[in-house]
Amino acid sequence: MSLSLKRTSAAAGIHPVYWLRAAPYVILAAGAIMMLFPFLWMLATSLREPKDLFTLNLIPSPATLSNYAQVFVKAPFAKWMLNSFIIAGLTTVSVCFFDTVIGYIMAKFSFHGKKIIFIAILSTLMVPTEMLIIPWYLLSVKLNLVDTYSGILFPGLISAFGIFLMKQFMESVPNDLLDAARIDGMSEWGILVRIAVPLIKPALATLCILSFLGNWNSFIWPLIVTQSKENLTVPVGLALFSSELKDSSGWVLIMTGACISITPLILIFLVFQKQIIRGVALTGLK
């Protein structure tokens, strides 16, 4: 029977082994199509005319870009994008700086209470964000930070996950290399910047990207702490924009706004995908 199977496969021109090797790629391709389909449908809907909203095809005919112009006319999307860029950018810079410094201290210095401090930092990861919103808001009111960039920024300026990630990677930096730099008279800041950080670039790049994406997509806290329409971020502004559209044609503009909001994230992933994959791979090895 096996001989007849081999003959049949040989007659077909494909060896059974190749089918087995191709199976994982077929499964991955099917999964990729399932994941990409909602995004493709969203993009196609943003290019439709309102009367063609329920047309069941992925290629709009005729396609139009007027929806993108209407979105910027009916809502301050440009200001919302600028707000999100400023908040996500400043938060990412702060997280990368402070988490790298703290991770370096936790990994390379010995002092009393270090383990207790590190456990306390990690314990904050177990506290749901919803439980912190009320203290954050009360602090914002006392410091007059409501409806300001500073009010949106301060809860995310330091990340417990980032400290843990940086500490784990800093521990892989050879101590002998750092001691040699100290013998040569280099300061601790110089050792951190010129020796330690270049050795953990993949982890630092991963932290930067994850921090930017997380703050760009943040919704609950910006929704609570902002009051004026001009100070909203993209996710909150898009939710407000969708609530203001009452007719069925509004779905076209909602999909258009969603396409605009995810465009920076897609560009970041396409530009830095090698760093993301390398950082995740190194994290798994660690």
Side-chain angles (χ1 to χ4, degrees):
M1 184 175 180
S2 60
L3 182 60
S4 61
L5 179 61
K6 290 181 179 180
R7 289 177 177 175
T8 304
S9 301
I14 301 176
H15 197 277
V17 175
Y18 294 115
W19 286 110
L20 295 176
R21 292 179 179 176
Y25 296 98
V26 174
I27 296 174
L28 289 174
I33 293 173
M34 293 178 62
M35 293 180 63
L36 290 175
F37 181 78
F39 296 98
L40 296 176
W41 186 264
M42 178 177 65
L43 177 61
T45 304
S46 69
L47 298 174
R48 301 183 199 278
E49 295 183 356
K51 61 183 180 65
D52 298 326
L53 174 62
F54 299 104
T55 304
L56 300 179
N57 56 25
L58 285 177
I59 301 177
S61 180
T64 178
L65 294 175
S66 61
N67 297 324
Y68 288 86
Q70 291 185 36
V71 164
F72 284 97
V73 170
K74 292 186 176 182
F77 251 89
K79 186 62 167 61
W80 295 344
M81 295 281 287
L82 178 62
N83 295 339
S84 292
F85 270 116
I86 293 174
I87 292 168
L90 292 178
T91 305
T92 300
V93 172
S94 174
V95 165
C96 292
F97 175 77
F98 287 108
D99 289 6
T100 302
V101 173
I102 297 173
Y104 176 72
I105 294 173
M106 288 292 176
K108 298 303 179 181
F109 289 86
S110 297
F111 52 89
H112 294 291
K114 184 176 86 169
K115 291 184 178 180
I116 297 176
I117 295 174
F118 187 63
I119 292 174
I121 292 172
L122 291 183
S123 64
T124 61
L125 294 173
M126 296 182 290
V127 181
T129 304
E130 291 76 10
M131 294 182 62
L132 300 173
I133 287 178
I134 295 177
W136 287 348
Y137 186 77
L138 294 177
L139 181 61
S140 300
V141 172
K142 289 183 178 181
L143 298 179
N144 296 321
L145 298 179
V146 177
D147 201 27
T148 63
Y149 283 159
S150 300
I152 305 175
L153 281 169
F154 81 86
L157 294 178
I158 300 178
S159 167
F161 169 76
I163 293 174
F164 172 75
L165 182 66
M166 290 295 102
K167 177 183 179 295
Q168 294 301 104
F169 276 89
M170 284 294 182
E171 289 179 347
S172 65
V173 178
N175 291 326
D176 295 339
L177 185 61
L178 305 183
D179 292 336
R182 294 188 182 100
I183 293 173
D184 290 339
M186 186 177 292
S187 65
E188 290 298 333
W189 281 108
I191 294 173
L192 173 63
V193 175
R194 300 177 61 181
I195 297 178
V197 171
L199 294 176
I200 60 165
K201 278 184 178 180
L204 186 60
T206 302
L207 178 61
C208 291
I209 295 167
L210 294 179
S211 177
F212 186 90
L213 298 182
N215 285 280
W216 181 275
N217 292 321
S218 180
F219 180 80
I220 296 179
W221 176 242
L223 173 65
I224 293 174
V225 78
T226 52
Q227 296 177 350
S228 60
K229 190 173 183 179
E230 291 74 17
N231 289 334
L232 297 179
T233 57
V234 170
V236 182
L238 184 60
L240 176 65
F241 180 63
S242 63
S243 66
E244 294 176 347
L245 299 174
K246 304 299 182 181
D247 55 349
S248 60
S249 63
W251 285 105
V252 175
L253 299 181
I254 292 172
M255 292 296 182
T256 305
C259 288
I260 296 173
S261 66
I262 68 170
T263 300
L265 306 184
I266 295 175
L267 294 177
I268 289 174
F269 177 78
L270 293 177
V271 173
F272 297 103
Q273 59 179 329
K274 291 184 179 180
Q275 287 81 355
I276 296 175
I277 296 172
R278 187 178 179 187
V280 172
L282 291 177
T283 305
L285 292 176
K286 185 64 179 177

